[in-house]
């Protein structure tokens, strides 16, 4: 892949990244990720990088047109120095760093990668200071939450991340589902098992309005996980097909109506039938296409 690896550290720990790319992670690190001995396969390494690259490109297109969606993405369990829960490199953290990076904020002794590439990276026409992740996967995005913690003076990785006050997380998830224990998001909304469309949408509309009013994001990264679906193998919630469509439409339309660029990714979803699973993941793209046509958003870049 030609995706610049210098775009990854920070926020991704250089030591962890090097071990992953060279297929030399420890057995315990591979077990924690979930792919075990498959983690070192070149196909998986390339797929991981391309998935992150897809979310980066999606965010850039969202900054240009106001709306874009990725056919993959949502690696929200991964932390700076480790992968977890079948996610290896946190694409939300990488995008947040690339979008909010400023040369004057670099600490002494911190490797920022290729400064020329960073300087030329497309971020839209203005400065991006605040990125909001709206994570509606049924599992809490615990990894993403770790990137927005206040930096510590003794931790170089923490200093390099420096996302406190830039990266915000609104996370609506099943309380009793993985992970255990939970991390602390900016806005944490845990739902009880069996929550239906009405309960889900009520929690979403209230929390989304609150987050938009308080954070005033300049970019939204939307994780449209479909494992909230009523028959998902790993779900615990009871959201219908129409409920998921209503959810996606509410997030996308709210962002577009407020003039906030939104980049959507597919997140999680689990079923033995691959075609059924693909249909669920396609829902957010259909919703994006509908809003795109309704708002004639192709005209945005010419304005």
């Amino acid at each position: 892949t030609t995706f610049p690896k210098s775009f990854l550290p920070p926020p991704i720990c250089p030591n962890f990244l090097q071990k992953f790319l060279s297929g030399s992670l420890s057995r315990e690190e591979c077990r924690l990720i979930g792919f075990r001995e498959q983690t070192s396969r070149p196909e998986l390494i390339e797929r991981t990088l391309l998935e992150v690259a897809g979310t980066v490109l999606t965010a850039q297109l969202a900054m240009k047109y106001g709306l874009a969606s990725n056919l993959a993405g949502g690696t929200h369990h991964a932390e700076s120095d480790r992968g977890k829960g079948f996610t290896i490199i946190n694409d939300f953290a990488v995008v947040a760093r690339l979008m909010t990076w400023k040369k004057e904020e670099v600490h002494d002794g911190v490797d920022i990668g290729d400064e020329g590439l960073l300087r030329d990276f497309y971020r839209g026409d203005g400065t991006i200071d605040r990125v909001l992740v709206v994570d509606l996967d049924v599992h809490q995005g615990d990894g993403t939450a770790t990137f927005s913690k206040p930096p510590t003076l003794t931790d170089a990785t923490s200093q390099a991340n420096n996302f406190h006050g830039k990266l915000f997380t609104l996370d609506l998830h099943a309380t009793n589902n993985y992970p255990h224990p939970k991390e602390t998001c900016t806005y944490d909304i845990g739902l009880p098992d069996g929550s239906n469309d009405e309960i889900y949408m009520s929690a979403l509309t209230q929390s989304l309005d609150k987050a938009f009013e308080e954070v005033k994001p300049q970019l939204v990264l939307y994780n449209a996980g479909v494992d909230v679906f009523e028959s998902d193998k790993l779900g615990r919630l009871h959201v219908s097909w129409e409920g998921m469509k209503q959810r996606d439409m509410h997030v996308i339309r709210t962002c577009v109506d407020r003039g906030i660029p939104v980049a959507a990714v597919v997140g999680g979803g689990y079923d033995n039938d691959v075609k059924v699973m693909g249909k669920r993941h396609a829902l957010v793209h259909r919703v994006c296409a509908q809003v795109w046509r309704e708002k004639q958003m192709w005209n945005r870049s010419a304005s």
Side-chain angles (χ1 to χ4, degrees):
T1 176
T2 58
F3 180 66
K5 297 177 182 63
S6 60
F7 279 179
L8 300 175
I12 308 306
C13 172
N15 183 49
F16 169 76
L17 181 63
Q18 174 57 34
K19 288 195 294 181
F20 168 63
L21 294 177
S22 62
S24 57
L25 289 173
S26 69
R27 179 176 297 182
E28 175 59 21
E29 287 172 315
C30 293
R31 185 200 65 80
L32 188 62
I33 289 170
F35 294 123
R36 296 183 181 270
E37 67 275 5
Q38 304 298 321
T39 309
S40 62
R41 288 181 61 178
E43 306 97 305
L44 180 60
I45 294 172
E46 182 178 30
R47 168 203 170 275
T48 300
L49 291 176
L50 290 174
E51 183 173 30
V52 175
T55 303
V56 169
L57 177 59
T58 302
Q60 289 181 297
L61 291 171
M63 292 306 301
K64 183 173 183 178
Y65 294 102
L67 170 62
S69 57
N70 184 8
L71 292 171
T75 49
H76 62 168
H77 297 306
E79 299 181 19
S80 177
D81 59 354
R82 61 176 178 165
K84 295 185 306 179
F86 300 97
T87 66
I88 301 174
I89 298 175
N90 193 301
D91 54 346
F92 297 134
V94 172
V95 169
R97 183 258 180 155
L98 290 172
M99 285 294 175
T100 63
W101 178 81
K102 293 180 179 64
K103 181 179 179 179
E104 60 269 21
E105 295 177 356
V106 175
H107 292 262
D108 292 339
V110 175
D111 182 9
I112 64 170
D114 190 321
E115 185 178 326
L117 284 175
L118 286 170
R119 187 173 56 249
D120 295 338
F121 182 82
Y122 178 77
R123 301 175 178 84
D125 297 328
T127 300
I128 302 297
D129 297 312
R130 297 177 303 282
V131 177
L132 174 66
V133 176
V134 177
D135 194 334
L136 302 189
D137 189 281
V138 80
H139 306 104
Q140 189 206 47
D142 55 328
T144 309
T146 64
F147 288 94
S148 60
K149 290 182 176 180
T152 64
L153 296 176
T154 57
D155 187 340
T157 299
S158 175
Q159 292 181 38
N161 289 341
N162 196 26
F163 288 147
H164 186 62
K166 296 180 182 179
L167 176 62
F168 304 85
T169 51
L170 164 58
D171 203 296
L172 193 65
H173 54 268
T175 299
N176 294 324
N177 214 324
Y178 175 91
H180 303 291
K182 301 288 191 291
E183 279 287 347
T184 301
C185 299
T186 315
Y187 304 93
D188 258 319
I189 303 93
L191 296 175
D193 290 4
S195 294
N196 59 16
D197 294 357
E198 183 179 358
I199 295 172
Y200 191 92
M201 287 305 302
S202 175
L204 172 60
T205 53
Q206 292 179 43
S207 58
L208 194 63
D209 286 346
K210 178 180 175 66
F212 280 167
E213 290 302 319
E214 293 180 353
V215 173
K216 295 178 173 55
Q218 295 152 303
L219 172 65
V220 166
L221 305 177
Y222 173 40
N223 186 0
V226 294
D227 39 14
V228 300
F229 187 57
E230 55 195 359
S231 65
D232 188 271
K233 288 173 58 179
L234 303 180
R236 287 186 176 266
L237 301 185
H238 200 75
V239 179
S240 69
W241 176 266
E242 285 303 315
M244 288 199 304
K245 183 177 181 180
Q246 184 182 1
R247 173 198 74 168
D248 290 347
M249 190 65 76
H250 180 73
V251 173
I252 299 300
R253 275 190 173 148
T254 301
C255 291
V256 171
D257 288 345
R258 287 175 176 257
I260 305 170
V262 54
V265 301
V266 298
Y270 309 91
D271 195 283
N272 291 329
D273 190 322
V274 176
K275 290 184 177 179
V276 167
M277 198 66 260
K279 182 179 179 181
R280 290 178 199 161
H281 279 312
L283 181 58
V284 68
H285 304 296
R286 293 179 182 275
V287 168
C288 287
Q290 181 178 336
V291 174
W292 175 269
R293 291 190 298 267
E294 287 177 356
K295 304 293 186 179
Q296 298 184 8
M297 299 188 70
W298 54 86
N299 292 321
R300 174 178 169 130
S301 65
S303 61

